[in-house]
Amino acid sequence: MGKTFTFFLILSFALFSFSGISCKEDVKLGDAGGQIKCPVMGGNIDKNSYQDYKGKRVYFCCPACKEKFDKDPDKYMKKLEGVKLDDVPAEKGMHKGHSHEVY
């Protein structure tokens, strides 16, 4: 009985491993319509928690995720490939990369 149980245990593990089933579900972070999920934890984004990176605004579910993003931004930007990210808003007084004097 011990050998039979071990055989089925190994067979079950092998089938599970090659079936494409994963314990961690891939979360859709967004699409061409925009970002909807945090690239770090996969939670709903909070528009008040963000980081501007290379001209794009990346939103997070919480400030802790922003801190993780800051440690390895390229890792999380790769997860956001194919997701339309908001452009960083122009600063007040800025226009196409240059400022205007305000009198």
Side-chain angles (χ1 to χ4, degrees):
M1 179 167 147
K3 289 181 183 181
T4 304
F5 176 75
T6 304
F7 172 76
F8 283 112
L9 183 63
I10 292 170
L11 181 63
S12 298
F13 177 76
L15 289 173
F16 180 75
S17 297
F18 296 110
S19 68
I21 297 172
S22 171
C23 294
K24 183 179 177 185
E25 184 179 325
D26 288 329
V27 175
K28 184 175 180 180
L29 302 177
D31 54 26
Q35 182 186 351
I36 57 172
K37 298 287 184 178
C38 173
V40 179
M41 295 295 290
N44 292 330
I45 60 171
D46 173 2
K47 292 272 186 163
N48 294 313
S49 183
Y50 63 87
Q51 175 67 28
D52 294 335
Y53 184 74
K54 295 186 178 180
K56 298 295 180 183
R57 182 155 285 179
V58 179
Y59 296 102
F60 305 100
C61 60
C62 65
C65 287
K66 179 189 171 303
E67 291 174 17
K68 286 184 181 180
F69 176 87
D70 287 342
K71 291 178 183 174
D72 190 2
D74 292 328
K75 171 183 174 181
Y76 298 106
M77 291 302 288
K78 186 170 181 150
K79 290 182 174 186
L80 289 165
E81 288 178 359
V83 176
K84 181 190 173 293
L85 299 175
D86 292 344
D87 291 325
V88 174
E91 293 181 34
K92 189 174 183 179
M94 294 293 289
H95 175 71
K96 293 191 179 193
H98 62 274
S99 63
H100 291 263
E101 294 293 327
V102 179
Y103 298 99

